[in-house]
Structure formats: C-alpha cells, structure tokens
C-alpha cells in the first residue's frame, strides 16, 4: 500500500549539549542582535536562571510565573515587556515558564529563546494555553514557537526525582497521544516511537539516581522528540482530558498527565492496533496487541513509582460530571474509539481512584 500524507516541520534551531547552556544562550542572543532582553524564570529557579544568563545583558527579570498561565498573569508580563521596550524574551524553566513567554509572544510577536529545565516539551511546539475563569483555552500560532531551544541536561538536575518522573511521563503522553491525534502521520509516529524508547531508557536511570546525567540526556532527548511529534500531530484525547483537569480543577500539570496516561492508552489501544504495536515495540515488548502496549507502559511506571490516582492531587468524584461536559465537545473526531459521556465517565472514575487500567481494555 502506498504512503500518502501531509507533514509540516516547524522551523526552529535546536541546540543540545550538557554544560553548554550559558555559552549557547549568549551566542544566540548575539546572533539575533537583541539589545533589550526579558528573562522569564520562576522565583524557585531564579538562581539557576541567573547563572544561565550570566553572559547576556538583561533589561528585565520577570519572576511572576503561575501554573496554567492565568490571563491576568499573562497581561502583567505583556505590560512589562512593553514598558521596558523588550526585543527578545528568554524563558528559563518548565512548561509554565515557557507558557508565559508564549503568552507574551502571542500578542507582541516578540521572538523567544527557550531554555527548558524540565521535560514538558512546550518549547518545541507552536501551541499556547491560557486559563481564564477556570477554563483553559489552547490554540496554535507560529508567533509562539521559540526561534531557538537550548537543551542542557545539566539544568534538569535541579528538578527533584519525583517531579522528574512526572515530567518525563508527561513527555511520554505527548508521544502516545501523537499516534492517534488529528494529524497523525508516519513521520510523527517515528518521532514518537523513538521518544518512547529514549524516555523509557532514561527515566528509570533518573529514578535510581537523580544525578545520572546520561539518563537525563536520554530523557531530555526523548522529551524533545515527544514535543516535535505532538506539535505536528496535534492534541489528542489525552490532552483534551488533561487540559480540562488542569484548567478547570487546577490539578498539577505533569502529575495529571502521568496519572491519566495509562487509562487513555487502555481506552484507545484496542481500537488502534497499529499504534499499539508501535508502542509495544518501543517499550521492548515482544507482543503487538493492545494489552502488550499497556503492559509496556505499566512495567515502566512500576519501576518509576509513578503517580497513580487523581484523588492524590485533589480531584473529587463530584467533579467528574462537570469535567465530562467540558471535555466531550473537544474530543477530536479522529479518536480511534467513539467517546461518549458513559465511557468517558468510566475512564475518569478509574483514574480518580487508581483502578487498574486493564479493565478499560475490554470495556
């Protein structure tokens, strides 16, 4: 059977190397000819950011970073950028930090250099997200894609072990969701499979020793691949669910993705056997069925002591009905399994309590 697909590659410089962030940031700022640089970094990462930005002149430091990028927080950052005549935004941190930089770029058109310290992947996508009145809105715009990303695995050493695992599983969710997202194609699938392999090798090493730099190199490489696949393939069922849980119920981003992932995989895999076979192979499982893909993920999660239930993060049973109402209209038509209020409720009920996701394979 002949291949036929459309694939768009996002234009972005990717610079990867341990211990190189400060030098490469100075070089990129000079290459872009920027003279009024705004650095966005959370207060918790201000020391790391100061060290990373030691080779550039910073016109404005901005530390007001909030999870899920509330609209008011975005407006404050935009106003600051305008007041100081900023011509380049540098973000040093995780997904919330990158998300705030994107919110600034969305309305100002300012270029971004992203220096990630987690495995969130936002830095490699043209997707933005804002939360207002407990509703998270996402969109795509070329203005928010960082012009350059500087990956330095040494910077992820600041991320505690448990958070590293949750963040890495968030990256894994990008990979798996990309296999049945609206614009899934063979190139996305290849990127996603290699991302699964790299994360599957790197994360257990980090779980054993959070200072294992080779493990962190593999995890950060996998996180980039996961984001590149997600940026091209689009947002699938998993991300639609997690955006609502985060934006409406203020659940923590990475932990929510890490918890929901096995339930969406169990829900969709029996209806997407090609994707399931690819996932199983990437995990090194010999079988090719839906149960094998889930077994590969669950084996990895057991080695990582991964987050297990949404209840751990404050979600309650009385929120499920409201979540279902918001999620249903956003479910992509391309999802391999029809999504109804009933089966989506069952999925969220299982994720709430940490019930074994295997039950969803035959539901």
């Amino acid at each position: 059977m002949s291949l036929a697909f459309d694939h768009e590659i996002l234009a972005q410089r990717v610079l990867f190397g341990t211990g190189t962030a400060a030098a490469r940031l100075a070089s990129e700022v000079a290459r872009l000819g920027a003279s009024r640089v705004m650095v966005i970094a959370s207060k918790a990462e201000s020391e790391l950011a100061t060290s990373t930005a030691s080779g550039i002149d910073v016109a404005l430091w901005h530390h007001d970073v909030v999870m899920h990028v509330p609209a008011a927080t975005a407006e404050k950052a935009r106003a600051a950028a305008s007041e100081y005549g900023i011509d380049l935004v540098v973000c040093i941190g995780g997904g919330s930090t990158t998300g705030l930089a994107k919110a600034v770029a969305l309305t100002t058109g300012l270029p971004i250099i992203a220096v990630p310290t987690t495995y969130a992947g936002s830095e490699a996508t043209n997707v933005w997200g804002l939360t207002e009145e407990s509703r998270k809105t996402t969109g795509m715009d070329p203005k928010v894609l960082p012009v350059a990303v500087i990956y330095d695995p040494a910077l992820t050493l600041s991320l505690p072990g448990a958070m590293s695992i949750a963040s890495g599983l968030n990256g894994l969710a990008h990979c798996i969701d990309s296999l049945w997202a609206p614009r899934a194609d063979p190139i996305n699938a290849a990127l996603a499979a290699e991302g699964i392999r790299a994360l599957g090798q790197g994360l257990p090493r980090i779980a054993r020793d959070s200072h294992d730099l080779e493990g962190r190199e593999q995890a950060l490489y996998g996180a980039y691949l996961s984001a590149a696949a997600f940026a091209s393939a689009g947002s699938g069922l998993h991300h639609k669910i997690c955006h609502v849980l985060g934006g409406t119920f203020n659940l923590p981003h990475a932990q929510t993705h890490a918890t929901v992932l096995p339930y969406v995989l169990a829900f969709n895999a029996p209806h997407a056997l090609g994707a399931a076979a690819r996932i199983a192979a990437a995990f090194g499982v010999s079988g090719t069925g839906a149960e094998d893909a889930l077994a590969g993920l669950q084996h990895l999660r057991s080695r990582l002591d991964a987050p297990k239930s949404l209840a751990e993060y404050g979600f309650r049973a009385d929120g499920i009905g409201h979540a279902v109402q918001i999620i249903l209209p956003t479910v992509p038509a391309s999802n391999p399994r029809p999504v109804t209020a009933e089966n989506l409720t069952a999925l969220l009920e299982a994720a709430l309590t940490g019930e074994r996701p295997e039950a969803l394979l035959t539901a």
Side-chain angles (χ1 to χ4, degrees):
M1 184 174 67
S2 63
L3 288 174
F5 58 88
D6 297 337
H7 181 82
E8 183 175 344
I9 297 175
L10 300 180
Q12 181 182 69
R13 281 170 62 83
V14 177
L15 308 171
F16 195 109
T18 299
T20 63
R24 281 183 159 159
L25 178 57
S27 177
E28 285 301 288
V29 171
R31 182 182 70 85
L32 294 171
S35 60
R36 302 287 297 171
V37 179
M38 175 185 190
V39 176
I40 298 177
S42 70
K43 291 179 180 177
E45 296 201 289
S46 59
E47 183 177 345
L48 178 65
T50 299
S51 173
T52 303
S54 60
I56 65 174
D57 292 327
V58 179
L60 174 64
W61 287 92
H62 189 87
H63 298 301
D64 186 10
V65 176
V66 181
M67 186 173 63
H68 303 305
V69 194
T73 302
E75 285 301 324
K76 182 178 178 180
R78 291 164 177 165
S82 176
E83 179 184 351
Y84 281 81
I86 298 302
D87 59 5
L88 172 68
V89 178
V90 172
C91 52
I92 303 173
S96 298
T97 304
T98 306
L100 182 57
K102 287 181 169 185
V104 173
L106 183 64
T107 57
T108 65
L110 290 171
I112 303 170
I113 296 176
V115 187
T117 61
T118 74
Y119 309 118
S122 175
E123 69 282 346
T125 80
N126 58 355
V127 178
W128 56 267
L130 290 168
T131 302
E132 189 169 16
E133 296 180 352
S134 298
R135 188 67 62 93
K136 188 168 186 177
T137 302
T138 62
M140 300 174 65
D141 194 302
K143 292 196 297 293
V144 309
L145 178 72
V147 296
V149 183
I150 298 170
Y151 287 109
D152 183 343
L155 298 184
T156 67
L157 291 171
S158 65
L159 197 63
M163 189 62 202
S164 296
I165 297 309
S167 184
L169 289 172
N170 178 21
L172 201 64
H174 291 322
C175 294
I176 290 174
D177 221 22
S178 296
L179 294 172
W180 43 58
R183 297 183 303 279
D185 66 39
I187 296 176
N188 299 330
L191 293 172
E194 173 65 359
I196 292 170
R197 183 208 62 77
L199 285 160
Q201 288 192 2
L203 291 178
R205 295 183 62 154
I206 296 170
R208 289 194 300 270
D209 176 6
S210 66
H211 290 85
D212 185 332
L213 265 176
E214 289 187 10
R216 288 192 177 273
E217 285 179 346
Q218 283 294 306
L220 197 56
Y221 164 62
Y224 166 68
L225 294 173
S226 76
F230 173 72
S232 178
S235 184
L237 175 63
H238 173 93
H239 283 80
K240 298 303 184 183
I241 292 171
C242 291
H243 285 163
V244 170
L245 294 177
T248 302
F249 300 92
N250 201 37
L251 301 191
H253 183 83
Q255 292 89 340
T256 300
H257 280 270
T259 302
V260 170
L261 178 58
Y263 297 97
V264 175
L265 176 58
F267 183 89
N268 270 343
H271 303 263
L273 293 179
R278 188 179 286 268
I279 293 166
F283 279 128
V285 178
S286 59
T288 59
E291 66 281 1
D292 302 303
L294 182 60
L297 174 61
Q298 291 297 79
H299 177 64
L300 174 64
R301 284 171 50 83
S302 70
R303 297 170 68 191
L304 303 178
D305 191 23
K308 296 179 177 61
S309 74
L310 293 175
E312 296 176 42
Y313 304 104
F315 191 53
R316 294 170 42 180
D318 58 11
I320 290 177
H322 185 42
V324 167
Q325 288 181 342
I326 302 172
I327 296 166
L328 269 180
T330 72
V331 174
S334 63
N335 195 67
R337 177 180 179 179
V339 180
T340 66
E342 290 74 22
N343 59 30
L344 182 56
T345 296
L347 187 158
L348 290 175
E349 286 175 344
L352 171 70
T353 62
E355 176 187 335
R356 294 178 73 251
E358 285 80 0
L360 295 176
L361 285 171
T362 56

